[in-house]
Amino acid sequence: MPNLQSFDHIHIYVKNRQQAVKWYQAVLGFSVVESLAFWAVDKGPLVVAHEDLHLALFESELQKRTTVAFGVDAANFLLWQQHLTTHEVTFVVSDHDISWSLYFSDPDGNPFEITTFDYENVVNNTSA
């Protein structure tokens, strides 16, 4: 079987791309990939990136939901809790016995998860 090497991008459906870009920049640190901006005509995607992570924002009234889960270490898990709070993003912390997850949504209701398997370090650094 051929190998899958990485995720290239994930489709995210939003009602208003320009408003969505502002949220993705402020909350998750994504920015528009200018070299691919020409695709964002008609029903094409507006590609945003954060390091090697790419999201393709499609404007659509028909909302399709796919949870995107990002992996982090314990220190960043704790920092994300502070960051989401600073940006007034409502989130839920879940203890999965071997991992921790933060669940939240963008303004269009697209669900996200930030998860860590660095379980003990989260336990030892906070009451998550």
Side-chain angles (χ1 to χ4, degrees):
M1 177 178 294
N3 279 341
L4 296 173
Q5 297 174 316
S6 66
F7 284 102
D8 183 73
H9 66 280
I10 298 170
H11 292 199
I12 304 291
Y13 296 89
V14 299
K15 291 180 185 173
N16 182 302
R17 279 192 292 220
Q18 295 311 312
Q19 289 177 355
V21 165
K22 291 176 186 174
W23 188 88
Y24 281 88
Q25 287 174 331
V27 176
L28 295 178
F30 281 78
S31 59
V32 173
V33 177
E34 295 298 335
S35 64
L36 301 177
F38 70 93
W39 278 342
V41 295
D42 298 322
K43 296 184 186 258
L46 179 60
V47 179
V48 296
H50 176 73
E51 298 181 14
D52 291 335
L53 303 171
H54 292 81
L55 302 176
L57 303 179
F58 286 88
E59 201 165 80
S60 174
E61 287 299 318
L62 176 60
Q63 292 294 297
K64 302 171 187 173
R65 305 269 190 263
T66 299
T67 301
V68 177
F70 300 108
V72 298
D73 60 19
N76 280 289
F77 184 81
L78 301 172
L79 289 171
W80 273 107
Q81 289 181 59
Q82 295 170 5
H83 182 74
L84 293 172
T85 299
T86 298
H87 285 278
E88 300 178 350
V89 175
T90 302
F91 61 91
V92 173
V93 179
S94 291
D95 177 350
H96 302 298
D97 295 325
I98 63 165
S99 67
W100 290 94
S101 293
L102 302 173
Y103 294 100
F104 61 98
S105 297
D106 73 5
D108 288 294
N110 292 297
F112 286 88
E113 176 183 358
I114 296 175
T115 191
T116 184
F117 282 86
D118 200 358
Y119 186 85
E120 290 302 321
N121 284 326
V122 173
V123 171
N124 293 329
N125 287 297
T126 186
S127 59

